[in-house]
Amino acid sequence: MTYMVKRFYSDERWPMTVKRGLTLEEAREHCSRDDTRGPVSCPNGHGYIGLRGGTQVKRPKRCPVCETGLVPDWFDGYNKE
Ligand SMILES: [Zn+2]
């Protein structure tokens, strides 16, 4: 069995296939990387948070202003092919 990685967007855009023919481990590895997620922003309009300057910036899960869960602009997820 192989897996495909798709890029999902927070707006109306249709998911885009990024990679195909991966093993489960490869798909998991890909999706856990920090560069397979877009910048996160507050859905209540408090702006982008934790934007990457270097590569190792840990992004917060919640908005420091209103505590709402932050939403990435896009992220990669995997499915069975
Ligand atoms: Zn907020």
Side-chain angles (χ1 to χ4, degrees):
M1 184 176 304
T2 57
Y3 291 80
M4 64 196 292
V5 170
K6 282 187 171 185
R7 185 152 298 171
F8 297 92
Y9 298 96
S10 63
D11 58 22
E12 317 284 273
R13 274 175 291 171
W14 203 248
M16 180 180 84
T17 303
V18 179
K19 282 183 176 178
R20 316 188 69 130
L22 302 178
T23 65
L24 181 57
E25 286 70 30
E26 287 169 339
R28 278 194 181 137
E29 219 265 348
H30 176 94
C31 296
S32 66
R33 275 172 23 206
D34 204 39
D35 63 347
T36 58
R37 254 164 288 157
V40 291
S41 62
C42 173
N44 294 328
H46 294 124
Y48 285 102
I49 294 146
L51 265 179
R52 210 174 327 176
T55 48
Q56 300 302 322
V57 176
K58 261 282 177 205
R59 289 175 223 190
K61 293 237 187 303
R62 304 198 161 270
C63 174
V65 180
C66 65
E67 303 269 302
T68 302
L70 298 169
V71 183
D73 280 4
W74 56 266
F75 65 94
D76 286 357
Y78 62 87
N79 291 119
K80 285 174 195 167
E81 286 192 284

